[in-house]
Amino acid sequence: MSQPSLAPFIRARPWLKRWMQPLANWYGNAAGYRQLGLRADDLIPEENDAVLKALKRLPPKVAYDRVFRLRRAFQCSIAHQLLPREEWTKPEDDVEYLGPYIREIETEKKEREDLDAMVISKK
């Protein structure tokens, strides 16, 4: 999650956000994950330690919903089918739920590294 992003730049300019929103919606629908009932944060790879810790910090209901969405998507993928249109993830439902935890963990890690690298000198 530490890659550079244009999102803050776009969000800070309302005219640019209005111009980019249809393109973002088109891309989200073309990606295909919403047709399987997934959210964008469901696609974050779990190989990272920060992501694993973030998954452990999720509330039980959110964690259960995530596992349900992933299992349902795997089942649809195996059957080579898409969910019915009414079960697709809507753009307004595709909100970030894992990202804040990942950012919090990365901030804690950076703070821990800064504290570990601190040199204390007596005067």
Side-chain angles (χ1 to χ4, degrees), residues 4 6 13 20 22 26 28 31 33 40 43 52 55-56 64-65 72 74 85 91 101-104 123:
L6 289 175
R13 290 152 183 83
M20 293 295 289
W26 171 82
Y33 67 88
L43 305 176
L52 291 174
L55 289 172
K56 290 178 184 176
Y64 176 82
D65 290 345
R72 183 174 60 176
F74 288 143
R85 187 175 272 287
Y101 291 104
I102 295 172
R103 285 190 292 277
E104 179 183 335
K123 291 185 180 183

Side-chain angles (χ1 to χ4, degrees), residues 12-55:
R13 290 152 183 83
W15 63 272
L16 188 56
K17 184 178 178 184
R18 281 193 308 271
W19 186 75
M20 293 295 289
Q21 193 63 44
L23 182 63
N25 288 338
W26 171 82
Y27 180 78
N29 290 330
Y33 67 88
R34 290 181 180 163
Q35 297 170 354
L36 294 173
L38 295 173
R39 292 184 182 176
D41 280 359
D42 294 335
L43 305 176
I44 298 175
E46 296 179 12
E47 287 92 24
N48 190 347
D49 288 336
V51 176
L52 291 174
K53 287 180 183 177
L55 289 172

Side-chain angles (χ1 to χ4, degrees), residues 12 32 45 60 64 72 94 97 107 115-116 121:
Y64 176 82
R72 183 174 60 176
D94 191 6
Y97 68 92
T107 304
L115 289 173
D116 288 344
S121 59

Side-chain angles (χ1 to χ4, degrees), residues 1-12:
M1 300 287 315
S2 60
Q3 67 272 14
S5 175
L6 289 175
F9 178 79
I10 293 171
R11 281 191 214 113

Side-chain angles (χ1 to χ4, degrees), residues 59-102:
K61 172 80 168 108
V62 176
Y64 176 82
D65 290 345
R66 179 179 188 276
V67 170
F68 175 79
R69 286 191 304 272
L70 289 171
R71 287 185 179 177
R72 183 174 60 176
F74 288 143
Q75 188 65 34
C76 288
S77 177
I78 289 170
H80 298 286
Q81 295 178 349
L82 296 177
L83 289 174
R85 187 175 272 287
E86 59 273 1
E87 293 184 27
W88 289 7
T89 303
K90 296 167 188 61
E92 57 271 9
D93 295 338
D94 191 6
V95 294
E96 187 179 39
Y97 68 92
L98 193 58
Y101 291 104
I102 295 172

